[in-house]
Amino acid sequence: MAAVIDTLPSPVRLQAVAAPGQPEPTPALSQLYRGFEEELLVPLWTQIGSLMPPNPRSKAAPHLWRWERLKQLAAEAGQLVPVGRGGERRAIALANPALGGQPYATPTLWAAIQYLMPGEHAPEHRHTQNAFRFVVEGEGVWTVVNGDAVRMARGDFLPQAAWNFHAHHNAATEPMAWIDGLDIPFAYYTESQFFEHGRDQLSEAECGTPERSRSERLWGHPGLRPLSQPADTPATPLLAYRWADTDRALADQLALEDEGHPGVLSPGHAAVRFTHPGTGRDVLPTMRCEMHRVRAGGRTRTWREVGGSVWQVFEGTGSVTVGDRTWRVQRGDLFVVPSWQPFSASCDAQAASLDLFRFGDAPIFEALNQYRMQFDDAAA
């Protein structure tokens, strides 16, 4: 039997060029490059500038999405797009303009506005992607995680560990929108994703509207761990971090600063990280989630870090600078900070504060010993 020969053209294209660090272009070098192309080989000396740059050069670009416009489009989708099987969720992803139309905010992070009409149920499913919900306004939706109904309200942060069945139901008379964050691009790139449908309908008991979920009754007591439960789980077992607690923590930091005591990240800049109550680690193995508050007239330091992040303005008005872009921002606006791009934020003097929710992929890089952060300003 004749051997089967792969006749597909080689995708490798090499060109001999006269440039520093490159061999002198000659007919023999061109012939060598044709041989490399035929055998699907790429020499490092032609690629090292892009493969090993002196610092990260993210494929993502800084970009800002206006919340009012997102809500308007989501409301239109609520009238046109069903939320049942098929579409699965009425979630509309942010597409970074530099990532070729993919539904990715950064090369590793997915962010979307999700919209649920009154009386609607988003059907149950589970996936290996880690996820969370953050509510910038509204209430009336409960997310049901493995049968545990969890109330969603303004300012609440609701992490969703991988491979847990979850559904949503809107028990209110008004639509509700929130943002979803997932590590979908990372799972896609690593070819590690699994997905499974759950039940089409939840039980009557699961569609209840308890004030506190079972997870909160077990884990929602600061500094106290239930001994009946394992502590070292991959992701947080606490399904809701309430705004009242976050707000008090930020306010206390700034009050301590006023009294002359340490507590803030930098002058006028309070910040907290959502953590696993059993281990103190990040709430999710692939995403770091934080809340920042800049006092009236205040400004953060300028810093950059390995890994991208997505920010949402929770309250207040001010300005943010990402790389060479500066935007005026207000409640709900979302923006992307690509890897190793400098970032800073300032609060308007007439605003009470500028509150910013942030999530990024730092835990991935820390696990690989690749994380780095530096301040770019001269502050102490």
Side-chain angles (χ1 to χ4, degrees):
M1 179 181 294
V4 177
I5 299 176
D6 188 352
T7 58
L8 292 176
S10 171
V12 177
R13 292 289 181 270
L14 302 170
Q15 185 175 0
V17 296
Q22 297 297 309
E24 180 182 354
T26 64
L29 183 64
S30 294
Q31 184 177 359
L32 175 64
Y33 282 0
R34 300 297 79 75
F36 285 166
E37 292 173 354
E38 291 172 5
E39 298 302 325
L40 300 176
L41 301 171
V42 180
L44 177 60
W45 62 82
T46 65
Q47 304 294 318
I48 191 168
S50 57
L51 291 178
M52 297 181 176
N55 52 259
R57 297 173 182 172
S58 178
K59 293 182 176 64
H63 192 73
L64 174 77
W65 291 265
R66 296 293 183 188
W67 180 244
E68 290 305 317
R69 180 60 172 154
L70 293 181
K71 280 201 308 178
Q72 176 189 356
L73 292 170
E76 292 176 19
Q79 302 299 322
L80 300 172
V81 181
V83 77
R85 297 296 187 203
E88 199 69 17
R89 296 285 189 266
R90 193 183 293 111
I92 307 159
L94 309 183
N96 191 287
L99 297 179
Q102 293 177 306
Y104 300 164
T106 79
T108 59
L109 299 174
W110 191 88
I113 178 173
Q114 186 170 162
Y115 195 85
L116 204 60
M117 299 289 285
E120 281 189 329
H121 288 64
E124 187 181 64
H125 67 209
R126 65 178 177 175
H127 41 71
T128 49
Q129 293 87 345
N130 293 284
F132 70 80
R133 278 152 277 289
F134 178 72
V135 186
V136 74
E137 59 186 47
E139 59 183 312
V141 168
W142 270 253
T143 184
V144 183
V145 183
N146 294 330
D148 190 6
V150 188
R151 176 176 56 89
M152 296 172 59
R154 173 166 159 77
D156 292 345
F157 168 70
L158 301 102
Q160 172 63 69
W163 210 236
N164 286 279
F165 279 115
H166 55 285
H168 315 307
H169 67 91
N170 188 343
T173 58
E174 297 293 330
M176 184 171 168
W178 62 90
I179 67 163
D180 288 338
L182 292 92
D183 56 6
I184 289 175
F186 176 72
Y188 182 83
Y189 177 76
T190 55
E191 300 179 342
S192 60
Q193 63 271 57
F194 289 86
F195 178 91
E196 183 178 307
H197 289 301
R199 298 161 297 167
D200 289 331
Q201 298 292 330
L202 299 175
S203 69
E204 183 176 346
E206 290 171 311
C207 289
T209 57
E211 181 67 17
R212 296 169 67 224
S213 63
R214 296 196 302 270
S215 83
E216 290 171 89
R217 291 162 66 187
L218 271 176
W219 288 97
H221 306 284
L224 301 172
R225 177 175 72 83
L227 295 182
S228 62
Q229 305 298 309
D232 195 16
T233 54
T236 177
L238 180 59
L239 298 178
Y241 294 70
R242 299 300 179 188
W243 171 244
D245 300 320
T246 307
D247 179 43
R248 183 165 53 249
L250 295 168
D252 282 347
Q253 287 186 18
L254 293 174
L256 285 167
E257 181 188 31
D258 289 338
E259 297 163 13
H261 303 297
V264 293
L265 194 60
S266 63
H269 177 196
V272 294
R273 180 172 299 162
F274 298 101
T275 59
H276 187 309
T279 65
R281 295 194 297 260
D282 286 291
V283 286
L284 298 166
T286 55
M287 288 185 284
R288 173 162 296 165
C289 303
E290 298 173 343
M291 199 78 192
H292 294 249
R293 173 170 291 171
V294 186
R295 68 162 75 242
R299 182 183 182 279
T300 70
R301 297 183 65 182
T302 299
W303 79 86
R304 65 179 78 206
E305 65 180 340
V306 169
S309 58
V310 180
W311 297 67
Q312 184 172 36
V313 179
F314 177 68
E315 190 60 88
T317 58
S319 298
V320 297
T321 298
V322 183
D324 60 0
R325 303 290 303 275
T326 297
W327 299 291
R328 296 277 308 152
V329 293
Q330 60 185 10
R331 180 197 280 196
D333 291 346
L334 291 126
F335 58 92
V336 165
V337 180
S339 182
W340 212 243
Q341 289 283 314
F343 164 79
S344 65
S346 60
C347 178
D348 289 343
Q350 67 272 23
S353 64
L354 179 65
D355 290 356
L356 300 161
F357 171 77
R358 169 187 187 258
F359 73 99
D361 50 18
I364 297 173
F365 298 102
E366 287 183 342
L368 298 171
N369 199 31
Q370 296 294 313
Y371 180 76
R372 184 181 298 188
M373 190 270 282
Q374 75 176 34
F375 290 104
D376 287 1
D377 56 30

